[in-house]
Amino acid sequence: MTAGGLWAVLPVKAWSEAKRRLSPVLSAPEREELARSMLDDVLDAIEGAPAVTGALGVTADDVAATYLEQAGCEVLAEPRRGLNRALGTAADELARRDASTMLVLPIDLPLVVSADLEQLCARHLGARAGTGGEPAPPAAVTVAPDRFRSGTNALVCSPPGCIPFRFGDGSFHAHLREAERVKAARSSVALPNLGLDVDHPDDLAELLRLDRSSRSVRFLRRTGVPERLGAL
């Protein structure tokens, strides 16, 4: 891993555990394939974003680790201790490598494109720099919410691990509260492409409505998911 810079951190579950709430529409092998397709969409966005120095996958699954490595990611093996602990371990690793900033990016964001990441990072770095001649704050946190403004679909932290991670129900407001608690510069930015994460059949329907070009949508159409959704 190259030292310094802004690193995207991608937490990846075991493929066999992927997206079980989609089981009314997709079989287990199809859910695994969708997870890989969404990861590829996210990796494409990262590759085209100059602001992102590199990508670090965090997983306890050997199969997922191999896939990430083949895609050009660094991989941090993490025992099955939960998402927030895994991200804490990743933050410690990035801090040890003198990375300035950590971008937590879930892999179930099939609409995300490079311009979204550039806009998010620019917003964050602007907040971190301070304004009006005042000294820059010691830390900065930027949160991109889901479309319901409840969960966190992207989180940028400078330095890595400057707040505890609070992914889960209500994490959007929880992360902003943590930033306030540590007196970090804090901001939020709602980006439509980052707003849609895929967890439920309704999310698949929304994805199909909005997008025709991502790998994930091509897979869903090839698999006949629009027809299956119409039969629910």
Side-chain angles (χ1 to χ4, degrees):
M1 183 190 300
T2 304
L6 185 156
W7 278 78
V9 173
L10 309 175
V12 181
K13 289 184 178 179
W15 297 133
S16 60
E17 300 174 3
K19 299 302 171 186
R20 290 178 176 174
R21 284 176 285 187
L22 298 177
S23 57
V25 181
L26 297 173
S27 67
E30 288 169 341
R31 296 196 303 272
E32 292 181 27
E33 184 61 30
L34 176 62
R36 285 190 287 269
S37 296
M38 291 193 294
L39 172 58
D40 288 339
D41 286 327
V42 171
L43 290 172
D44 285 346
I46 290 171
E47 184 176 3
V52 182
T53 303
L56 176 66
V58 184
T59 186
D61 184 69
D62 290 340
V63 176
T66 299
Y67 192 87
L68 287 161
E69 288 171 346
Q70 291 173 345
C73 286
E74 300 281 350
V75 176
L76 182 63
E78 171 64 11
R80 298 173 188 273
R81 301 188 303 164
L83 173 58
N84 290 314
R85 284 190 175 187
L87 292 173
T89 301
D92 291 342
E93 175 65 13
L94 291 181
R96 189 174 72 84
R97 300 282 183 156
D98 294 325
S100 63
T101 303
M102 174 178 179
L103 163 62
V104 180
L105 202 60
I107 70 162
D108 59 348
L109 302 172
L111 292 178
V112 67
V113 295
S114 302
D116 299 317
L117 301 184
E118 288 291 297
Q119 185 175 347
L120 177 64
C121 293
R123 174 72 170 267
H124 176 79
L125 295 175
R128 189 185 183 199
T131 58
E134 297 179 358
V141 174
T142 303
V143 190
D146 65 16
R147 59 191 172 126
F148 305 109
R149 294 185 71 82
S150 174
T152 300
N153 279 5
L155 176 67
V156 195
C157 298
S158 300
C162 62
I163 60 170
F165 298 104
R166 297 287 185 247
F167 282 90
D169 292 343
S171 64
F172 171 56
H173 296 289
H175 284 132
L176 290 174
R177 287 194 298 270
E178 290 291 353
E180 183 178 17
R181 183 180 62 82
V182 301
K183 296 181 172 53
R186 62 192 184 280
S187 62
S188 64
V189 53
L191 299 173
N193 289 340
L194 281 173
L196 179 64
D197 55 317
V198 175
D199 284 314
H200 303 280
D202 286 349
D203 299 324
L204 293 178
E206 183 69 3
L207 173 60
L208 287 162
R209 185 183 73 83
L210 292 171
D211 177 50
R212 291 183 178 273
S213 62
S214 70
R215 297 173 191 244
S216 302
V217 164
R218 292 199 300 270
F219 165 73
L220 293 173
R221 294 191 182 281
R222 188 170 68 247
T223 312
V225 170
E227 293 75 17
R228 297 183 204 179
L229 289 169
L232 290 180

